[in-house]
Amino acid sequence: MSNPDKRGYYGSFGGRFAPETLMAVLGQLENEYHAIKKDKTFQKEFEYYLKEYAGRPTNLYLAKRLSSHLKTLKVYLKREDLLHTGAHKINNTLGQILIARRLGKTRIIAETGAGQHGVATATAAALFGLKCIVYMGAEDVKRQSLNVVRMKLMGAEVRPVESGSKTLKDAMNEAVRDWVTNVADTFYIIGSVAGFHPYPAMVRDFQSVIGREARRQFWAKEKKLPNYLLACVGGGSNAMGLFHAFYDDPSVKMIGVEAAGHGVHTHQHSATLTKGALGVLHGSKSMVLQDKDGQIQVAHSIAAGLDYPGVGPEHSFYQESGRAQYVTITDKEAIGGLKLLARLEGIIPALETSHAIAYLDKLARHAKKQSTVIVCLSGRGDKDMNQISQFV
């Protein structure tokens, strides 16, 4: 398995680039993270909430009509969209909020783009009676208005962020500023495998239930391992959650799908691994979209959850080492993928997930006949109806 070293690095990527105010609390969090991995009481409680509250295990569904359409691929969908709150994010927020309680924190903050992490955080906070504040880019507040309502219904305060591009990057900036000011009583639930060490590893571990389940389920159905794993990548938590359990299986090819937006030849995309360069963003060293002077560029994707100019450091390590391949899908292609799954399988995926669905057609063109693939269906498309309606 790939794991960070003691400083939080995966090869050249990772680390902890944090304000001095946060160094002590991050050290405490790292100690607690290592402790809970060995704590059977914690693990039992976490598994209880995953099963009884979130709805695990999720199904591994053979998409027969989609497979027939693609001809060469036998497609299995890991149905994270069937979880409570409609996406994989609840796996992580339940784990982190249990740590917050152990640390005696009474105030929860989070950042969100598509709103799914915000909803999952608000859900977990309501479950345990904790105050919750969610930072969300003002642009995302508009395009993900349904999730804003959901967060507010569960008692969370949603704070629109008007700075910068008014999207996920800026929401994370504001959340970090809040945390620096309120370290005594506040726990920051980061939603992806990005940020200061130990967040990338901790979020991955909470999301790795996806891959562990998928591995067991696929073996039970096929008596072998899949040829491919496929997942969308913004920060990258759903992809890392699927990939991690298969890291030591070289026969399993891993493909992460980034958002090409209006095209990687333009400046309106979120293809960090494809077009980025080494830099530091939100506390860790990874691939980053930046200009020649090292300034962070504005990212773009039709999917708010992929609209981020950075990526988790472990994904950068996977790319550099050749363990995973990263490809791109445009906004237009993602809409096509969404329609394809809806019309062939009666499943409306989130715009984020639609990028992975859209890449299946390209994969099918060079895959051997009867190749098998697991796609992480990371979320459902209810939240995207306002945007999708113009394409129907």
Side-chain angles (χ1 to χ4, degrees):
M1 291 294 185
S2 63
N3 282 304
D5 64 20
K6 292 182 179 179
R7 297 182 306 139
Y9 278 87
Y10 304 83
S12 306
F13 309 101
R16 182 185 293 163
F17 298 81
E20 185 177 350
T21 309
L22 295 180
M23 292 304 285
V25 73
L26 285 167
Q28 182 186 31
L29 176 58
E30 182 180 3
N31 291 336
E32 200 65 34
Y33 159 60
H34 289 304
I36 62 105
K37 289 196 288 186
K38 302 174 184 177
D39 188 331
K40 292 183 179 179
T41 300
F42 179 92
Q43 295 298 330
K44 186 176 181 180
E45 185 177 21
F46 181 44
E47 289 171 8
Y48 168 82
Y49 283 107
L50 286 179
K51 179 181 178 182
E52 300 295 334
Y53 186 71
R56 302 212 71 91
T58 57
N59 297 337
L60 185 67
Y61 167 70
L62 175 59
K64 293 182 180 179
R65 293 196 68 218
L66 179 60
S67 300
S68 178
H69 169 80
L70 294 167
K71 295 182 172 59
T72 58
L73 292 175
K74 190 174 184 181
V75 182
Y76 283 90
L77 305 175
K78 184 57 174 160
R79 298 291 307 275
E80 296 299 290
D81 60 313
L82 297 180
L83 285 173
H84 178 43
T85 73
H88 69 292
K89 296 293 188 180
I90 193 72
N91 302 321
N92 171 51
T93 60
L94 286 172
Q96 287 199 51
I97 210 155
L98 290 175
I99 292 179
R101 289 171 71 226
R102 283 169 65 107
L103 293 173
K105 306 297 184 180
T106 57
R107 181 176 179 269
I108 302 297
I109 60 171
E111 87 295 328
T112 198
Q116 289 301 105
H117 175 60
V119 169
T121 301
T123 300
L127 179 64
F128 292 106
L130 299 177
K131 183 177 181 179
C132 180
I133 296 169
V134 179
Y135 289 91
M136 189 173 192
E139 183 63 28
D140 292 335
V141 168
K142 293 177 185 176
R143 58 180 173 174
Q144 298 293 334
S145 57
L146 175 61
N147 275 342
V148 174
V149 174
R150 295 170 75 193
M151 286 182 268
K152 289 180 177 179
L153 273 173
M154 287 181 284
E157 177 188 349
V158 180
R159 293 186 180 176
V161 177
E162 298 285 351
S163 60
S165 60
K166 305 179 184 180
T167 56
L168 180 57
K169 170 182 69 72
D170 312 291
M172 198 165 185
N173 288 343
E174 290 303 317
V176 171
R177 290 189 183 102
D178 182 315
W179 197 24
V180 169
T181 309
N182 300 286
V183 290
D185 67 345
T186 298
F187 189 95
Y188 181 14
I189 297 183
I190 291 180
S192 197
V193 287
F196 322 95
H197 175 66
Y199 279 101
M202 182 171 67
V203 175
R204 178 206 66 195
D205 287 347
F206 287 141
Q207 291 292 2
S208 64
V209 65
I210 300 171
R212 294 196 306 272
E213 283 181 6
R215 187 187 177 92
R216 290 195 302 268
Q217 291 167 325
F218 191 89
W219 190 268
K221 293 172 183 291
E222 296 282 347
K223 300 298 184 289
K224 61 180 181 179
L225 294 175
N227 299 110
Y228 299 98
L229 304 178
L230 192 61
C232 63
V233 175
S237 65
N238 89 94
M240 196 54 68
L242 177 62
F243 292 175
H244 187 59
F246 296 87
Y247 181 81
D248 293 324
D249 302 300
S251 66
V252 181
K253 296 179 176 63
M254 303 175 181
I255 303 173
V257 185
E258 296 192 293
H262 295 312
V264 293
H265 59 286
T266 73
H267 290 296
Q268 293 181 297
H269 63 78
S270 300
T272 306
L273 290 163
T274 304
K275 300 290 287 186
L278 184 63
V280 175
L281 178 64
H282 296 139
S284 69
K285 186 184 291 185
S286 188
M287 299 301 286
V288 178
L289 292 178
Q290 53 192 306
D291 63 21
K292 59 183 177 61
D293 297 317
Q295 297 300 304
I296 304 302
Q297 291 182 320
V298 175
H300 163 77
S301 173
I302 193 172
L306 303 183
D307 200 347
Y308 183 61
V311 68
E314 193 169 1
H315 280 295
S316 293
F317 172 72
Y318 275 30
Q319 181 189 51
E320 183 181 68
S321 66
R323 184 60 190 92
Q325 174 189 4
Y326 295 88
V327 298
T328 63
I329 285 292
T330 65
D331 289 350
K332 184 177 180 180
E333 289 171 326
I335 290 294
L338 186 150
K339 289 182 178 179
L340 184 69
L341 189 64
R343 293 172 182 178
L344 290 180
E345 296 290 346
I347 299 170
I348 302 174
L351 282 169
E352 291 76 17
T353 306
S354 299
H355 286 70
I357 298 297
Y359 187 72
L360 284 168
D361 183 60
K362 295 184 178 183
L363 179 61
R365 295 174 196 172
H366 61 76
K368 294 180 180 179
K369 196 168 185 179
Q370 285 301 296
S371 292
T372 53
V373 55
I374 298 176
V375 181
C376 186
L377 193 59
S378 57
R380 59 177 175 251
D382 305 32
K383 66 182 178 62
D384 298 313
M385 286 300 108
N386 287 340
Q387 286 176 278
I388 294 169
S389 61
Q390 64 184 297
F391 300 104
V392 175

